[in-house]
Amino acid sequence: MDNKAPDNGEFSFASNTPRSTGRKGLPKIQTQDHNKKANDVCHDDSGTPVKAKTIDELHSLQRKKSAPTTPIKGAQGAFNAISEEERQKQQLQSISASLASLMRETGPKLVKGDPARKGEGQQIAHHHHYTPTISATDSSLKFTHYLHNLSPAELYEQAIKYEKGSFIASSGALATLSGAKTGRSPRDKRVVRDETTEDDLWWGKGSPNIEMDEHTFMVNRERAVDYLNSLDKVFVNDQFLNWDPEHRIKVRIVSARAYHSLFMHNMCIRPTPEELENFGTPDFTIYNAGQFPCNRYTHYMTSSTSIDINLARKEMVILGTQYAGEMKKGLFGVMHYLMPKRQILSLHSGCNMGKDGDVALFFGLSGTVNLELNRATWSNQLPTDMCLVRSPHDTRFYYKLLLTILPLVLFVAGTGKTTLSTDHNRYLIGDDEHCWSENGVSNIEGGCYAKCIDLSREKEPDIWNAIKFGTVLENVVFDEHTREVDYVDSSVTENTRAAYPIDYIPNAKIPCVGPHPKNIILLACDAFGVLPPVSKLSLAQTMYHFISGYTALVAGTEDGIKEPQATFSACFGAAFIMMHPTKYAAMLSEKMQKHGATGWLVNTGWSGGSYGSGKRIKLAYTRRIIDAIHSGSLLNASYKKTEVFGLEIPTEIEGVPSEILDPVNTWTDKNAYKDTQLKLAGLFKNNFAVFTNYKIGKNSMLTEEILAAGPNY
Ligand SMILES: Nc1ncnc2c1ncn2[C@@H]1O[C@H](COP(=O)(O)OP(=O)(O)O)[C@@H](O)[C@H]1O
Ligand SMILES: C=C(OP(=O)(O)O)C(=O)O
Ligand SMILES: [Ca+2]
Ligand SMILES: [Mn+2]
């Protein structure tokens, strides 16, 4: 565009033969069809003239105004009818209130719309609660442009124009990078401990809720808000969580990147134009200032990343990580607080439904997390990693861990919630976050977040086909010319992801709700290779394994260590629960009993040996196992009991080689199998020890039964 161009500033073929000069340019290209009139094809100057005299006018013809406001229906609407102008004003004030610095004298001056398109019907709002004073800073002189609920197409353009590392993949998906963090940072999560949360939440050893005080939260909130207001523009998403209309939550996400806005557009429930107009004040707000770090000199900060939740203020602040999963999982944490308060169980599970209305839940642990672990914790060799040091406060000596900090990226080989709930023969209700209320199940989200590493069209056709225009593709590698994604390439990270609206899956159940579940499937990716591919669980066993929340990690470190590491995450989602695990377990047990649901333990991990010698069980076999659970045929199969773990395992399943059903058959070294099984059982026992002091539910019978349902040896 910068080089010499015709005076209209655009290059065009037609301009070689201006209208006034007639056909005097290059000879006309002849087409195959000589019978057709020349002006039907390949015409240069004789077509219908464009209805514009200038290029600006032409461009203004191209984009017509969006659909006018939807009239509010119903009697109540008629009563509350407000003018379009008033509605716009209220929206501006609401967003200005969200973005107001609580320290400064003035709130931000907001302008709706892209700063690059000045004067196109933009509206300006001052935050009316604040009156400017002489001590105003430069920030009070500047405007913050905000882009409110842009469409995917608009967000694509924003991303491609302004964000490095954003490209259109050959599938049409938007490929982008999440920066230095490519997984969640659970150790950087903080929750404000105040009068409200003091008694309600789970604090202390084992809890994911690392405390911070109200003041420090405000320091970080101010940091995020100042950062966002310093930008040319911010993105604002007003959306919903939870498909159960009675318990729907309004969320606002303020972010700096089109990538984040598109991600949340896909992942949350999208309001209709009418719902958006009447959105009002959000129930919860996220400030995502992920490009900007937190200040390590701030109290409670142990790194440059901080994800802070304040339940009293109904706000979350993100600093120092652009990984989009923090937003969706952060909100999930909030739901783990809000829903149980209403006697609704929140579940870290996928969910689907058969043609006859049978619902299954798929529990399993999350994907990749960034963990900074010290070598001592990692290698279980505490004594050799300790040294004697003198206390800076007194003359005593004490042992201190030698903190050889290894930035470890631990990755759970995904346990299969997303993969197995996406089943061509069943209706998808959701892949990750659900509620179980008196009415049945409902999805919290409006989209799915699938892992893409090694993705293939053959094995996972529905996910493959969902990767198209509108989908966010995170951290994938693609051919620089063809823009063809190489799903095997893990150069950026092992945790490559695709986020798409749930209706990109052809058999999604919209609205995403269903009746009470019939099967509760606990997924574990056992990299030790000793858990059976499937076991039928008693209620007590279901509780034992639900509270344990076992899976194995395969860790990648700088020095290339790759060995399985057992992880236990209560309720298969300890990073997201807010109250004590036994609270959720008691609710699950009550609901399973009431609705007669059956529990299953499915190992989607290794078979024939541990990681390194065995192999991951074929996805096709796991699918046949899941089919047999859904159809009911597995409920009535014949079973035998395993040693140590005391699990009931079927002797036969259609489409699955019988010998793999009992893992002992698949190990060549039977002693190694026994040792590994005992090792894992020991890890289960150690982990469960902390729960033995808690009563689960109202009767202590259950607690005792649950304790007895663990491994015995
Ligand atoms: N037997 C198996 N069962 C389930 N998933 C498998 C299996 N073998 C390989 N996989 C792969 O493991 C991953 C499971 O991840 P995902 O479904 O995203 O887990 P989650 O949603 O629980 O985090 C997918 O990449 C899937 O292709
Ligand atoms: C979104 C996440 O969870 P999952 O792996 O369960 O999809 C995540 O851990 O970032
Ligand atoms: Ca360890
Ligand atoms: Mn998932």
Side-chain angles (χ1 to χ4, degrees), residues 417-418 431-432 449 451 497:
K417 291 185 300 297
T418 301
D431 79 320
D432 199 46
Y449 195 28
K451 288 180 191 66
R497 294 272 186 158

PDB file of all heavy atoms in Angstrom, residues 417-418 431-432 449 451 497, ligand 4:
ATOM      1  N   LYS A 417     -11.140 -36.651  29.986  1.00  0.00           N
ATOM      2  CA  LYS A 417     -12.478 -36.035  30.126  1.00  0.00           C
ATOM      3  C   LYS A 417     -12.974 -35.515  28.773  1.00  0.00           C
ATOM      4  O   LYS A 417     -14.068 -35.838  28.333  1.00  0.00           O
ATOM      5  CB  LYS A 417     -12.442 -34.836  31.098  1.00  0.00           C
ATOM      6  CG  LYS A 417     -12.205 -35.178  32.543  1.00  0.00           C
ATOM      7  CD  LYS A 417     -12.313 -33.943  33.439  1.00  0.00           C
ATOM      8  CE  LYS A 417     -11.319 -32.829  33.115  1.00  0.00           C
ATOM      9  NZ  LYS A 417      -9.911 -33.186  33.279  1.00  0.00           N
ATOM     10  N   THR A 418     -12.122 -34.689  28.135  1.00  0.00           N
ATOM     11  CA  THR A 418     -12.541 -34.069  26.882  1.00  0.00           C
ATOM     12  C   THR A 418     -12.669 -35.115  25.779  1.00  0.00           C
ATOM     13  O   THR A 418     -13.675 -35.184  25.067  1.00  0.00           O
ATOM     14  CB  THR A 418     -11.542 -32.972  26.481  1.00  0.00           C
ATOM     15  OG1 THR A 418     -11.500 -32.002  27.529  1.00  0.00           O
ATOM     16  CG2 THR A 418     -11.945 -32.298  25.181  1.00  0.00           C
ATOM     17  N   ASP A 431     -17.339 -30.752  28.407  1.00  0.00           N
ATOM     18  CA  ASP A 431     -16.102 -31.536  28.493  1.00  0.00           C
ATOM     19  C   ASP A 431     -15.339 -31.357  29.801  1.00  0.00           C
ATOM     20  O   ASP A 431     -14.373 -32.062  30.042  1.00  0.00           O
ATOM     21  CB  ASP A 431     -15.176 -31.210  27.304  1.00  0.00           C
ATOM     22  CG  ASP A 431     -14.417 -29.907  27.512  1.00  0.00           C
ATOM     23  OD1 ASP A 431     -15.011 -28.943  28.030  1.00  0.00           O
ATOM     24  OD2 ASP A 431     -13.215 -29.857  27.176  1.00  0.00           O
ATOM     25  N   ASP A 432     -15.761 -30.399  30.667  1.00  0.00           N
ATOM     26  CA  ASP A 432     -14.849 -30.114  31.788  1.00  0.00           C
ATOM     27  C   ASP A 432     -15.486 -29.671  33.116  1.00  0.00           C
ATOM     28  O   ASP A 432     -14.957 -30.000  34.165  1.00  0.00           O
ATOM     29  CB  ASP A 432     -13.859 -29.033  31.332  1.00  0.00           C
ATOM     30  CG  ASP A 432     -12.610 -28.962  32.187  1.00  0.00           C
ATOM     31  OD1 ASP A 432     -12.032 -30.024  32.474  1.00  0.00           O
ATOM     32  OD2 ASP A 432     -12.220 -27.860  32.581  1.00  0.00           O
ATOM     33  N   TYR A 449     -12.183 -27.233  25.626  1.00  0.00           N
ATOM     34  CA  TYR A 449     -10.766 -26.881  25.608  1.00  0.00           C
ATOM     35  C   TYR A 449      -9.979 -28.181  25.470  1.00  0.00           C
ATOM     36  O   TYR A 449      -9.675 -28.831  26.461  1.00  0.00           O
ATOM     37  CB  TYR A 449     -10.450 -26.172  26.931  1.00  0.00           C
ATOM     38  CG  TYR A 449      -9.150 -25.405  27.007  1.00  0.00           C
ATOM     39  CD1 TYR A 449      -8.558 -24.837  25.887  1.00  0.00           C
ATOM     40  CD2 TYR A 449      -8.534 -25.219  28.242  1.00  0.00           C
ATOM     41  CE1 TYR A 449      -7.385 -24.107  26.011  1.00  0.00           C
ATOM     42  CE2 TYR A 449      -7.366 -24.479  28.364  1.00  0.00           C
ATOM     43  CZ  TYR A 449      -6.799 -23.931  27.251  1.00  0.00           C
ATOM     44  OH  TYR A 449      -5.636 -23.205  27.369  1.00  0.00           O
ATOM     45  N   LYS A 451      -6.972 -30.878  24.258  1.00  0.00           N
ATOM     46  CA  LYS A 451      -5.537 -30.983  24.017  1.00  0.00           C
ATOM     47  C   LYS A 451      -5.328 -31.382  22.566  1.00  0.00           C
ATOM     48  O   LYS A 451      -6.088 -32.165  22.021  1.00  0.00           O
ATOM     49  CB  LYS A 451      -4.931 -32.047  24.920  1.00  0.00           C
ATOM     50  CG  LYS A 451      -4.873 -31.613  26.346  1.00  0.00           C
ATOM     51  CD  LYS A 451      -4.272 -32.688  27.229  1.00  0.00           C
ATOM     52  CE  LYS A 451      -4.480 -32.316  28.662  1.00  0.00           C
ATOM     53  NZ  LYS A 451      -5.909 -32.315  29.036  1.00  0.00           N
ATOM     54  N   ARG A 497      -3.336 -26.560  22.651  1.00  0.00           N
ATOM     55  CA  ARG A 497      -4.768 -26.602  22.955  1.00  0.00           C
ATOM     56  C   ARG A 497      -5.631 -25.977  21.869  1.00  0.00           C
ATOM     57  O   ARG A 497      -5.182 -25.086  21.134  1.00  0.00           O
ATOM     58  CB  ARG A 497      -5.038 -25.800  24.229  1.00  0.00           C
ATOM     59  CG  ARG A 497      -4.436 -26.375  25.479  1.00  0.00           C
ATOM     60  CD  ARG A 497      -5.372 -27.363  26.112  1.00  0.00           C
ATOM     61  NE  ARG A 497      -4.859 -27.821  27.396  1.00  0.00           N
ATOM     62  CZ  ARG A 497      -5.622 -28.334  28.346  1.00  0.00           C
ATOM     63  NH1 ARG A 497      -6.912 -28.466  28.167  1.00  0.00           N
ATOM     64  NH2 ARG A 497      -5.089 -28.752  29.472  1.00  0.00           N
TER      65      ARG A 497
HETATM   66 MN    MN B   4     -10.161 -31.333  29.149  1.00  0.00          MN
END
